[in-house]
Amino acid sequence: MIKIYHNNRCSKSRCGLEILENSGKEFEIVKYLENTPSEEELIEIINLLNISPIQLVRKNEQIWKDNFKGKELSDSEVIKAMVDNPKLIERPIVINGNKAVIGRPPETIKEII
């Protein structure tokens, strides 16, 4: 089943959700700010995206700027920062089987559905 990691306050995430709704396919919405992925789940997502953990971080968030910017962090420290501060996780993330994309721009979601 298709899964979207969604934040309703984000316009790109809302656009991504609309693409899924219009696809006619079944999907699950994960409100990741309320239901934060575990470290294991984030590692799985990062592996599906085929990126490094730092590429999943929203570096313009104030939390990042205040606490992490300019520091040398290991991959596990970056993942822990996202688990502790889910606002740092880039959005939307859409997973379909063994494929995943960050929906920026939202049209990239169409590639995996």
Side-chain angles (χ1 to χ4, degrees):
M1 178 184 291
I2 298 170
K3 186 183 287 192
I4 181 171
Y5 288 82
H6 177 62
N7 176 350
N8 200 45
R9 296 186 66 190
C10 172
S11 63
K12 300 275 190 252
S13 199
R14 290 192 305 269
C15 287
L17 184 60
E18 185 177 344
I19 288 168
L20 288 178
E21 289 170 343
N22 291 336
S23 76
K25 299 187 187 243
E26 283 189 42
F27 62 92
E28 174 187 355
I29 299 171
V30 177
K31 295 181 179 179
Y32 69 92
L33 293 179
E34 299 167 15
N35 187 11
T36 306
S38 67
E39 288 185 35
E40 294 77 20
E41 288 173 294
L42 266 184
I43 290 168
E44 188 176 313
I45 291 167
I46 289 163
N47 288 337
L48 285 172
L49 289 167
N50 197 26
I51 60 173
S52 64
I54 194 69
Q55 291 176 281
L56 193 57
V57 172
R58 296 177 52 82
K59 294 171 203 73
N60 287 328
E61 288 290 339
Q62 198 61 48
I63 296 166
W64 182 261
K65 291 177 184 178
D66 292 346
N67 299 296
F68 305 104
K69 187 178 178 181
K71 294 183 180 177
E72 284 288 324
L73 300 173
S74 68
D75 285 353
S76 60
E77 289 171 324
V78 171
I79 290 167
K80 180 152 178 34
M82 287 188 280
V83 170
D84 292 344
N85 305 282
K87 210 173 180 182
L88 294 176
I89 301 171
E90 191 60 82
R91 63 203 179 234
I93 301 166
V94 177
I95 299 172
N96 187 3
N98 63 353
K99 299 176 187 172
V101 295
I102 299 172
R104 289 187 170 267
E107 292 73 31
T108 60
I109 294 167
K110 294 176 183 175
E111 297 170 9
I112 68 164
I113 58 170

